[in-house]
Amino acid sequence: MTSDVFFSSIDSKKHKSPLLKIAKLLNRCNPQSIFTSGDLIAVKTHFGELGNTAFIRPVFLRPVLELLNKLGAKPFLTDTNTLYVGMRTNSVDHLHNATMNGFNYSTLQVPVIIADGLRGDNSVSVPVEGELLSCVKLAAEIASADGMLVVSHFKGHEVTGFGGAIKNISMGCSCRQGKLDMHSDSRPFVNQDHCTACGRCLLFCASKAIDLNPKASITDKCTGCAMCISVCPHNAIQINWNASSSSTQKKMAEYAAGVFNALDRKLIFLSIILSVSPACDCYPGNDRPVVSDIGFAASTDPVALDKACHDLVIKAYGGKDPFKERYPDVNSAVQLAHAEKLGIGTADYRLIEVD
């Protein structure tokens, strides 16, 4: 079985708008057969950490939102809070960050909703038939949407080799505990040098897994919800980022399968292959792109889309993989193979160029 991936180059001899190209690509995905009038549709993207400039430009979301509005759907922009401590750790800071980076009602005329609640614990458990997981913990407002249009920035990533559509609907659609499930095989720990014994973490620990004697420490009762990370005012609670790349990628694929289950497969994917930075947009800064701007691609199959985007980057880099050069110990194909095994797509694709 082969999946179609629709591609439009950023090149434009006739000076056509890139926004028109995006609209054409999305229409080739037959959105009227997936979304219907009145549907509450999540437009999942990444708002970019404050200080980073490689993230998707908000203007690229205009044709996405216009398409959904024409169908009579009710779109909303969404993302989830981060596991690490930064400007997107809680919804208050996250919304401020989104506004500063141009993702707000005044620029795009749609609501912005942080999908996993104030502190990243608003979630829904969805069963999956995975190799490593039997259920996944998805952000509640994504799991309860009627469908999702996923807009991803294709780029490099230090843990997974590259980050695209699969990463956007796995790591990007999970609650805080879900992110911890994918990133770490152990519980958080307290850096005693930073702990002031303020006791704030105790107030938010639902499993009573924190002792204060005299400083905080985390016991075996910890369930891994990671709430303590976001509430600590001194950044004293940290994570062992110790899950192997292979384990993280497999869990990502299983979380992606959970999203397909929760949304009854009502998803369309758009990837922006511009400013292809070597690392994640979660950093408060970014390096130069690894290749020049390539274009846009869309599909209803995230596996085929990620494989096509990766191949386009390799082609633009002269036949070599720039992400493999940067992260030689990471096999980024694991996420594709495992997602394919779980039945959410295929790496066998047909690239259809759209003028």
Side-chain angles (χ1 to χ4, degrees):
M1 180 176 170
T2 302
S3 288
D4 291 338
V5 175
F6 304 102
F7 169 70
S8 186
S9 169
I10 193 65
D11 296 335
S12 182
K13 294 179 181 178
K14 297 181 180 179
H15 305 291
K16 290 182 179 178
S17 170
L19 305 185
L20 178 60
K21 294 180 180 226
I22 291 173
K24 287 184 175 181
L25 292 174
L26 292 175
N27 278 315
R28 293 296 295 270
C29 294
N30 201 16
Q32 65 273 13
S33 69
I34 300 173
F35 308 133
T36 58
S37 179
D39 280 353
L40 301 177
I41 302 300
V43 177
K44 172 65 180 73
T45 190
H46 188 302
F47 299 142
E49 189 70 17
L50 199 63
N52 190 293
T53 60
F55 61 87
I56 294 171
R57 299 178 195 170
V59 70
F60 289 136
L61 296 176
R62 282 197 173 277
V64 175
L65 301 170
E66 288 169 0
L67 169 74
L68 293 172
N69 285 328
K70 285 180 181 177
L71 293 174
K74 299 178 180 179
F76 63 95
L77 290 181
T78 194
D79 200 359
T80 58
N81 290 312
T82 60
L83 181 58
Y84 64 86
V85 176
M87 270 298 291
R88 298 181 300 125
T89 305
N90 63 74
S91 291
V92 174
D93 290 335
H94 199 158
L95 286 170
H96 177 71
N97 184 111
T99 299
M100 294 290 285
N101 282 348
F103 300 93
N104 53 63
Y105 194 90
S106 64
T107 58
L108 295 169
Q109 290 78 57
V110 290
V112 181
I113 299 172
I114 304 303
D116 56 346
L118 186 64
R119 298 187 186 278
D121 61 337
N122 188 13
S123 65
V124 173
S125 292
V126 176
V128 294
E129 296 180 1
E131 176 185 314
L132 303 175
L133 303 169
S134 60
C135 74
V136 297
K137 304 171 186 70
L138 303 180
E141 308 310 332
I142 285 175
S144 61
D146 295 313
M148 186 159 62
L149 207 157
V150 183
V151 185
S152 307
H153 178 212
F154 192 82
K155 58 201 172 297
H157 195 277
E158 61 275 27
V159 176
T160 60
F162 65 77
I166 293 173
K167 188 171 185 296
N168 201 0
I169 63 167
S170 54
M171 205 70 72
C173 289
S174 66
C175 68
R176 185 181 304 281
Q177 186 173 353
K179 291 178 175 68
L180 183 64
D181 286 346
M182 285 179 271
H183 270 307
S184 179
D185 291 328
S186 63
R187 67 180 66 90
F189 68 95
V190 180
N191 184 327
Q192 298 289 310
D193 291 339
H194 292 175
C195 180
T196 64
C198 69
R200 182 170 171 79
C201 54
L202 275 70
L203 299 175
F204 289 87
C205 182
S207 56
K208 302 186 185 302
I210 299 178
D211 288 339
L212 200 64
N213 186 28
K215 294 187 176 184
S217 62
I218 299 174
T219 72
D220 291 340
K221 294 179 182 179
C222 175
T223 61
C225 76
M227 178 66 74
C228 54
I229 296 170
S230 69
V231 301
C232 177
H234 306 291
N235 297 343
I237 302 178
Q238 300 173 5
I239 305 161
N240 283 313
W241 303 91
N242 62 346
S244 69
S245 172
S246 178
S247 171
T248 295
Q249 290 185 65
K250 285 185 175 182
K251 289 177 182 177
M252 278 170 42
E254 293 177 13
Y255 263 79
V259 171
F260 267 72
N261 292 344
L263 297 181
D264 196 25
R265 306 184 77 89
K266 292 178 63 175
L267 298 104
I268 293 176
F269 301 88
L270 170 70
S271 286
I272 311 294
I273 324 168
L274 309 176
S275 298
V276 183
S277 50
C280 185
D281 295 338
C282 291
Y283 288 109
N286 53 277
D287 201 349
R288 70 174 65 189
V290 296
V291 292
S292 59
D293 289 347
I294 294 173
F296 313 95
S299 181
T300 56
D301 183 336
V303 182
L305 181 60
D306 278 354
K307 180 66 167 63
C309 289
H310 193 199
D311 288 347
L312 286 165
V313 169
I314 291 172
K315 181 180 179 181
Y317 198 64
K320 297 184 293 182
D321 187 344
F323 307 135
K324 190 68 175 178
E325 282 188 3
R326 182 67 66 103
Y327 313 114
D329 297 327
V330 176
N331 178 12
S332 59
V334 171
Q335 58 185 299
L336 301 177
H338 200 59
E340 190 170 28
K341 181 180 177 182
L342 292 165
I344 66 170
T346 174
D348 186 10
Y349 68 91
R350 177 175 59 175
L351 192 69
I352 301 172
E353 294 200 33
V354 178
D355 187 11

